[in-house]
Amino acid sequence: MEKRVRALQANMASEGLGAYYVISPFNLRYISGFTGTSGRALITANNAYFITDFRYQEQAKSQCQGFEVIIAGGSAGSSSPFKVIQDIVSQESVSRIGYEEEHITVADFDEIESLIDADFVPASGMIEILRQEKDDQEIALIEKACQIADDAFSYILNHIKVGVSEIQIANALDFYMREQGASGVSFETIVASGQRSAMPHGVASSKKIAQGDLVTLDFGCYYQGYASDMTRTVAVGDIDSRLEEIYQIVLDANQLVTQELKAGMTGKEADAIARDYISQHGFGNQFGHSLGHSFGLDIHETPNLGPNSNHLLKANQIVSNEPGIYIEGLGGVRIEDDLLLTESGNRPLTHSPRHLIHL
C-alpha cells in the first residue's frame, strides 16, 4: 500500500493539494487495504491517516499498514471524524484538500465546510487513475475470479434443461461460485432465454427454458475483493437458423478483438474492431452497447471500450470483450471474455468454450 500512497501523494503535489480525503469504499480498499464498511482516510503530503470507529479498531490496525489509525465517533467522549480531520489540517498547515465529490453526501459536505478550516477542491478520479493499471497481485486475484467463473460455466451446463427456470439457473450459478471460494457475485446474474435473450441486461426471471431457446448467461464473482465478468450463450436443442447466423457473427467479432486488441489503442479503436465487423454483416443497429469496460475492485471501471471513448489503453489494464447482436422478437447472442492488455496484444483470462454448445 505504501507504493500506492506515494503515487497518490505525487499526484496531489502536481495538483497543489496538501491533502486528499478518501471515502469511496473501493478507493479505501485500494489505498489502505481496509475491507470493513466504516472508515475514511486522509492522505497528506507526508502522512497517511485512517479514521474509523471502535468496531473496526483491530481490523484497521491489522490491514492499514503504513497508516496512523485513529478511532473517532461511535462512543461517548470520542471526537467526531471531522474534528479529527480539523486537528490534522491544523497540525500540518493544510490549506487545500481534494475530495471525492462523486461519493460524498450533502450532509457530510456541509459539516466539513462548517468544521474544517481549509479549501475543499473537487478531485474525484485521482485514485481511480491509479487503479487502472493492475499490479501482479491484482492480476492474480482477478485471474482466480475468472477461473471460478469458468468452472461455474462447466458446472451449470448440466443444469440447463427444458422446464428449469432462469432464476433456478442463476441461483445454482451463484451458489456454486461461493462454494468455490467467491465472496459473492460481482453483479446480479443475467440468465435470459428465448426471446428474452434479446435483452442485453435481462436478469433472471421465472421463465422456464423451452426447446429451441438460446440462453444467455452473464455472470461473475468477487474473489478477495476482485471481480470477474463472463458471458456465454448456449442452445437448448435445435435453434432458428437466424440465431445460428448471428451466433457465428458475434463469435467471429469476439475472436477478432482478441486477435487485434493491444495497449496503445483508444477505446474507440478497440470498439470499432467488433462494431465494423458486425456492421459489415448487416447487424450494426442490433449491437447497441459498448464493446467492453475495465474492471477490478469494481465491476465497471475506466477505461471504457466504446464508440465515443478516447481513453488510451495501457498494458496491465483488464477489459471485457463482449460484442452482441439482439433481435427483438427472436433472441440475442453475447460472448464475453476478460482480457489482460499487454504491449504486444492481450492475454485471455477466461477460457470457457466459445463455440455454440447444443444441450
Side-chain angles (χ1 to χ4, degrees), residues 44-355:
T44 64
N46 298 303
N47 297 297
Y49 304 90
F50 192 87
I51 305 164
T52 187
D53 62 59
F54 178 80
R55 297 170 299 167
Y56 294 100
Q57 180 172 257
E58 289 190 27
Q59 181 177 342
K61 287 181 178 178
S62 172
Q63 292 181 330
C64 303
Q65 299 298 310
F67 281 70
E68 179 181 339
V69 176
I70 302 172
I71 305 304
S75 62
S78 176
S79 297
S80 76
F82 300 125
K83 174 63 167 61
V84 169
I85 293 172
Q86 170 55 33
D87 291 344
I88 295 169
V89 165
S90 177
Q91 176 184 322
E92 300 201 18
S93 300
V94 173
S95 59
R96 296 182 81 238
I97 303 174
Y99 71 97
E100 299 175 313
E101 74 276 10
E102 294 179 4
H103 301 284
I104 197 167
T105 66
V106 173
D108 276 1
F109 184 76
D110 287 345
E111 189 170 357
I112 283 171
E113 282 205 310
S114 67
L115 291 178
I116 300 175
D117 185 20
D119 292 332
F120 274 75
V121 180
S124 281
M126 291 186 69
I127 295 178
E128 285 85 347
I129 289 173
L130 302 178
R131 284 167 49 191
Q132 288 183 18
E133 296 175 56
K134 274 55 178 180
D135 61 29
D136 290 345
Q137 182 182 21
E138 291 179 297
I139 292 168
L141 292 174
I142 293 170
E143 196 158 14
K144 176 62 177 178
C146 290
Q147 179 196 322
I148 293 173
D150 275 330
D151 291 344
F153 178 69
S154 296
Y155 167 82
I156 206 63
L157 291 178
N158 294 320
H159 290 72
I160 301 174
K161 295 177 171 49
V162 172
V164 177
S165 71
E166 294 174 349
I167 194 69
Q168 286 176 305
I169 295 168
N171 287 340
L173 267 173
D174 295 353
F175 290 139
Y176 181 83
M177 289 189 289
R178 284 183 178 274
E179 288 174 348
Q180 302 310 303
S183 59
V185 297
S186 47
F187 54 92
E188 188 172 0
T189 296
I190 292 169
V191 179
S193 61
Q195 293 186 13
R196 293 190 74 253
S197 62
M199 302 167 61
H201 277 191
V203 295
S205 73
S206 60
K207 179 192 174 299
K208 294 183 177 180
I209 305 300
Q211 193 74 17
D213 277 355
L214 271 185
V215 183
T216 296
L217 310 160
D218 188 347
F219 59 98
C221 69
Y222 273 110
Y223 179 77
Q224 295 187 19
Y226 284 84
S228 59
D229 184 2
M230 186 178 83
T231 305
R232 292 293 187 267
T233 303
V234 300
V236 179
D238 294 330
I239 58 173
D240 190 297
S241 60
R242 293 173 294 171
L243 294 173
E244 294 207 10
E245 177 190 6
I246 64 172
Y247 190 97
Q248 189 61 50
I249 294 169
V250 170
L251 175 59
D252 290 345
N254 169 278
Q255 292 300 279
L256 194 59
V257 170
T258 300
Q259 291 168 20
E260 297 186 8
L261 184 64
K262 62 181 179 181
M265 290 182 169
T266 63
K268 182 176 182 178
E269 290 169 337
D271 179 90
I273 297 170
R275 194 167 305 280
D276 290 350
Y277 184 84
I278 290 172
S279 296
Q280 288 164 12
H281 287 78
F283 293 98
N285 291 334
Q286 284 73 46
F287 178 22
H289 57 74
S290 296
L291 171 66
H293 56 89
S294 181
F295 63 92
L297 286 167
D298 198 357
I299 193 59
H300 287 96
E301 297 183 353
T302 303
N304 181 54
L305 281 62
N308 300 311
S309 172
N310 292 314
H311 288 115
L312 187 67
L313 303 180
K314 299 178 181 179
N316 293 330
Q317 291 175 340
I318 294 178
V319 298
S320 65
N321 165 21
E322 48 183 303
I325 296 174
Y326 313 92
I327 301 175
E328 186 176 354
L330 178 63
V333 174
R334 181 166 64 259
I335 303 171
E336 176 184 16
D337 286 301
D338 300 336
L339 307 178
L340 169 65
L341 297 180
T342 67
E343 296 292 353
S344 59
N346 64 80
R347 179 165 68 86
L349 303 182
T350 43
H351 305 287
S352 293
R354 298 170 186 86
H355 65 273

